[in-house]
Amino acid sequence: MQELRLSNWLPTTNKEVKIRGWEELDVILFSGDAYVDHPSFGPAVIGRILESYGLRVAIVPQPNVNDNLQDFIKLGAPKLFFGVTGGCMDPMISNYNANKKRRDKDAYTPNGDIGFRPDYATTVYSKILKEKWPDVPVLIGGIEASLRRVTHYDYWSDKLMPSILESSKADMLVYGMGEQPLREVVRLLQKGVPFSSITTIKQTAVLLSPEARIPKNSNWEDIEIASHENCLRDKKTFASNFKVIEQESNKLEARRIFQKIGEKTLMINPPYPTMTEDEIDASFDLPYTRLPHPKYNKRGPIPAFEMIKFSINIHRGCFGGCSFCTISAHQGKFIASRSQESILKEVDTVANMPDFKGYLSDIGGPSANMYKMKGKIQSICDKCVAPSCISPVICSNLDTSHKPLTKLYQAVDSHPKVKKSFIGSGIRHDMLVPEFNKNADAKELDDYTEEVMTKHVSGRLKVAPEHTSDPVLKLMRKPSFTYFHKFKERFDKINIKHKLKLQLIPYFISNHPACEVEDMANLAAETKDLGFQLEQVQGFTPTPMTVATVIFYSGYHPYTLQKVRTPKTRKEKDEQHRFFFWYKQENKDWIKNTLNKLGRQDLLKILLPENDKWRKNKPGKPKHTFDDAVPFNQRKNKAKFRSKKKGR
């Protein structure tokens, strides 16, 4: 591998700008993350994209907001605009856990140190820049801006907040993946169009002043949602907005959305079509060093980088549409897949890194097994408004063939320097069950499962059934737990056939909307009966731009406007979460009393029999508890345990 010089990274200081022989900059990026020049880190991708357009780009990672603000003026003013992102995760998720307690580690900072990223980083950075450089446009993007582009509930302040454009004072917001809109922004700026006149680019949002004229576009239909003030007055009104927002975000021919915020008007332009193979390949083929900036060499490793250092991202997007997940709100439900050639080119680059030992940690994406999947008849997808392609059933127009993915794995493993490639991303196990994926070839699904289990798993296969209660799963947009049983049967069969001794590790969520204590008791009993001592568990954390968060705040389902109860108090949350750990001695008396009050002695006999000879599935203590769980960003006869409550 060629020896790298400081100039191989985007400059972060005046000294590095001078090394490149530049007298001025076109764009300066500010990021809440440390600078890792790798295609899995959004700020690096945006920097390299802008650089590919011939622009002189610098990046200021984790600027200090607690001193004289020197970081915001040290590089001067850029010729075109400032770009601002809070980082690869919403800063509030980075800084706080589900109980609103400060985390003791930040995965995107050297050594995991905390205190380098302010709360609401995008707003903080943008306001400082507008104060220091009032005449320079500020463009915001990344997941924090994307998920807060419209009136949204903020869990950490427990408030309904307006578009981040209002709070940050930024001039433009790019939502979702930024390559396509940025290309058009730069093209117009290079033609001499003033930044303030650029208001009709897809996948951007702007806040129009009272005197501004609404830009005309004959190709778009318009829709106006309830104003921010009306949302503040009525929770049901806020809930009703979300159906429009989610559907328009996931349509190929979406409408332009308008919302009043005081005297101003928020205008959210429709998204771009899904990136083509050539477009996404171009983004991954840029000249990344794939390493953190040398300035961090003495500060310790960056945990998020160490985790993905030898991994390969093969696609973007997720058509699952889970109610608690933000992936489709940011990346979209349609899958943008890289070509096999581009992926193998990256595999070769990684394989030739000096510290590569032959093991790729992940060949995956938001969901590992959605590569190359799309609609069979495109015109049907063009008209679709469904937020999920696989809930409540798998769409008959969805091609769920796993053959391209199986072939890709085999091509990766044929590289002479790759000893083994692992699948670290979550696998949608439901799509591998013929009883659920009825239009797929059953043998093909089993072939994929066998390929993964025999060649791409290191002891444990992680899947995410999320719950066992059908009403909760329906609201989550997840299939019945029955299909987890079906998958486990196949898993066990392959395990025995190949004498693998692999473990199946399921993820579950407590205190999700519609979930009651009795549902958690059922979950504990059913998973115990299956032989699991749960480790991968978390409490539901409301994040902006999800169905579940809208329900949490408003009490109404945005699609039906029917009331849905959500556990909200710390006591309710702790009690639900406690059932995950029924095996802990300190929980046993509480569980016994709770189940006796509920009249569920049947569950008590399963969870805490007098002579419990149950043997746990996996030795060792649980690794994840309620306090340290990070939400998914940007995880025998079912009737036997069904709640006796009416309607559940």
Side-chain angles (χ1 to χ4, degrees), residues 339-564:
S339 68
Q340 181 168 302
E341 291 73 24
S342 174
I343 293 167
L344 294 178
K345 179 181 175 183
E346 186 177 2
V347 168
D348 188 63
T349 300
V350 173
N352 284 291
M353 292 174 70
D355 52 349
F356 180 69
K357 306 298 182 186
Y359 300 97
L360 293 170
S361 60
D362 186 26
I363 305 291
S367 287
N369 54 326
M370 291 186 181
Y371 179 69
K372 293 282 188 182
M373 294 184 186
K374 60 182 181 180
K376 299 170 187 173
I377 302 173
Q378 187 58 43
S379 59
I380 295 176
C381 292
D382 291 344
K383 299 172 184 175
C384 180
V385 298
S388 172
C389 303
I390 55 177
S391 176
V393 296
I394 294 181
C395 176
S396 59
N397 189 49
L398 181 66
D399 180 359
T400 59
S401 173
H402 284 64
K403 280 185 180 178
L405 192 50
T406 304
K407 289 180 180 177
L408 175 64
Y409 293 164
Q410 292 166 351
V412 169
D413 287 351
S414 69
H415 192 286
K417 291 189 178 181
V418 173
K419 297 176 183 176
K420 189 164 185 173
S421 59
F422 296 101
I423 310 304
S425 309
I427 286 177
R428 286 295 303 225
H429 67 280
D430 45 359
M431 291 205 302
L432 301 174
V433 177
E435 291 85 349
F436 183 64
N437 195 352
K438 296 176 182 178
N439 297 316
D441 183 302
K443 183 180 183 304
E444 182 189 309
L445 299 182
D446 284 345
D447 287 347
Y448 173 80
T449 306
E450 197 158 344
E451 167 80 15
V452 169
M453 289 180 63
T454 56
K455 298 178 182 176
H456 304 284
V457 178
S458 178
R460 316 173 106 196
L461 178 64
K462 297 176 183 178
V463 296
E466 308 296 7
H467 219 288
T468 59
S469 161
D470 278 352
V472 177
L473 286 166
K474 182 180 179 181
L475 192 147
M476 286 180 166
R477 296 179 182 153
K478 297 283 283 189
S480 170
F481 195 65
T482 301
Y483 299 113
F484 176 80
H485 286 271
K486 297 287 186 185
F487 178 76
K488 188 175 184 301
E489 289 171 10
R490 283 174 164 73
F491 178 90
D492 291 342
K493 184 179 177 181
I494 294 170
N495 235 349
I496 293 168
K497 176 182 174 182
H498 294 279
K499 301 178 182 179
L500 296 173
K501 297 182 181 179
L502 297 179
Q503 291 181 315
L504 190 61
I505 307 297
Y507 283 78
F508 290 97
I509 295 177
S510 65
N511 52 74
H512 191 275
C515 182
E516 303 285 355
V517 167
E518 197 165 345
D519 294 315
M520 294 303 300
N522 285 324
L523 186 155
E526 189 159 1
T527 52
K528 179 187 177 184
D529 194 68
L530 284 168
F532 292 106
Q533 178 169 303
L534 300 180
E535 296 180 2
Q536 308 291 344
V537 300
Q538 67 180 53
F540 167 65
T541 303
T543 50
M545 201 68 84
T546 69
V547 170
T549 298
V550 171
I551 295 172
F552 177 89
Y553 167 74
S554 71
Y556 296 97
H557 194 295
Y559 281 75
T560 65
L561 296 184
Q562 298 296 310
K563 287 189 174 181
V564 180

Side-chain angles (χ1 to χ4, degrees), residues 562-591:
Q562 298 296 310
K563 287 189 174 181
V564 180
R565 203 192 85 80
T566 304
K568 285 191 173 184
T569 67
R570 179 64 186 266
K571 182 174 182 290
E572 285 181 298
K573 293 179 181 181
D574 286 351
E575 287 181 349
Q576 286 208 11
H577 205 75
R578 211 166 178 180
F579 269 107
F580 284 138
F581 308 110
W582 54 265
Y583 49 84
K584 288 189 174 183
Q585 190 62 42
E586 63 266 29
N587 290 335
K588 292 185 176 181
D589 286 342
W590 176 84
I591 287 173

Side-chain angles (χ1 to χ4, degrees), residues 105-312:
K105 291 288 182 183
D106 185 331
Y108 290 87
T109 303
N111 202 40
D113 292 339
I114 59 172
F116 288 85
R117 180 200 317 272
D119 294 350
Y120 310 105
T122 299
T123 293
V124 171
Y125 297 159
S126 180
K127 287 175 76 172
I128 293 172
L129 289 169
K130 292 306 289 184
E131 290 169 5
K132 298 290 183 183
W133 310 97
D135 298 326
V136 181
V138 173
L139 186 155
I140 59 176
I143 196 162
E144 181 184 18
S146 191
L147 301 185
R148 296 171 182 268
R149 60 186 182 262
V150 69
T151 295
H152 60 280
Y153 172 67
D154 180 70
Y155 171 64
W156 296 272
S157 62
D158 193 25
K159 291 178 182 177
L160 210 58
M161 301 181 75
S163 166
I164 193 171
L165 277 169
E166 170 68 14
S167 54
S168 69
K169 310 306 177 188
D171 299 278
M172 179 186 287
L173 182 154
V174 169
Y175 65 92
M177 302 290 97
E179 290 99 332
Q180 293 162 297
L182 276 175
R183 180 179 60 212
E184 185 64 8
V185 169
V186 171
R187 186 184 73 81
L188 292 174
L189 289 174
Q190 289 179 328
K191 282 181 65 177
V193 178
F195 194 98
S196 59
S197 299
I198 302 174
T199 56
T200 57
I201 294 177
K202 286 185 175 182
Q203 217 163 300
T204 64
V206 294
L207 202 54
L208 302 172
S209 62
E211 62 275 8
R213 295 176 61 182
I214 302 296
K216 292 182 179 180
N217 191 312
S218 59
N219 297 318
W220 297 344
E221 290 183 26
D222 295 338
I223 185 170
E224 184 169 359
I225 59 176
S227 70
H228 177 66
E229 286 69 28
N230 283 342
C231 290
L232 289 173
R233 282 191 287 268
D234 183 60
K235 290 184 176 182
K236 186 182 279 190
T237 297
F238 166 70
S240 68
N241 268 0
F242 187 79
K243 179 180 178 181
V244 176
I245 296 162
E246 184 177 48
Q247 288 186 335
E248 298 305 323
S249 298
N250 287 298
K251 282 165 65 175
L252 288 176
E253 294 187 15
R255 293 176 288 185
R256 181 169 57 171
I257 298 174
F258 290 93
Q259 183 190 33
K260 288 286 186 183
I261 303 176
E263 296 297 314
K264 300 175 184 176
T265 301
L266 172 67
M267 181 175 71
I268 304 176
N269 294 329
Y272 269 92
T274 309
M275 293 179 79
T276 65
E277 185 174 88
D278 285 346
E279 285 176 326
I280 193 168
D281 281 356
S283 183
F284 278 87
D285 291 345
L286 294 167
Y288 305 97
T289 63
R290 302 186 65 87
L291 295 169
H293 191 280
K295 68 192 293 181
Y296 306 121
N297 287 349
K298 294 181 180 179
R299 287 182 53 187
I302 299 172
F305 168 69
E306 296 298 323
M307 185 174 71
I308 57 86
K309 186 176 183 179
F310 302 122
S311 71
I312 310 291

